Amino acid sequence: SHNLSLLTSAYRHEGRMKDAEAVLRRLAAIPALGDDAEIDRKDLASFLLGRGRFAEALAAADGLGKSRLAEVRAMTRL
């Protein structure tokens, strides 16, 4: 998941937003094995918010409110 996060950053830097979104969706589909991976789940929702796709961002953030980590649950309440 770390490498996919780096790839997403590279695509965003190059302006390849469709590729960045595809990688973020792939990353969101991978089970989070550690705390960092679970915290990174916010990235797809954040990306979609930045693109003005609010309904999709809300759907992507839906599962974050059920996280076992308090800091991830808190992100959904900001």
Side-chain angles (χ1 to χ4, degrees), residues 60-78:
D62 184 48
L64 298 176
K66 300 173 185 106
S67 172
R68 63 180 178 78
L69 298 175
E71 56 267 40
V72 175
R73 290 191 310 269
M75 288 181 216
T76 65
R77 289 160 178 66
L78 298 176

Side-chain angles (χ1 to χ4, degrees), residues 2 6-7 17 26-27 32 41 45 49 51-52 63 66 74 77:
H2 172 74
L6 291 175
L7 182 58
M17 297 306 172
R26 182 174 166 198
L27 186 58
R41 298 256 181 236
L49 276 175
R51 309 291 295 159
K66 300 173 185 106
R77 289 160 178 66

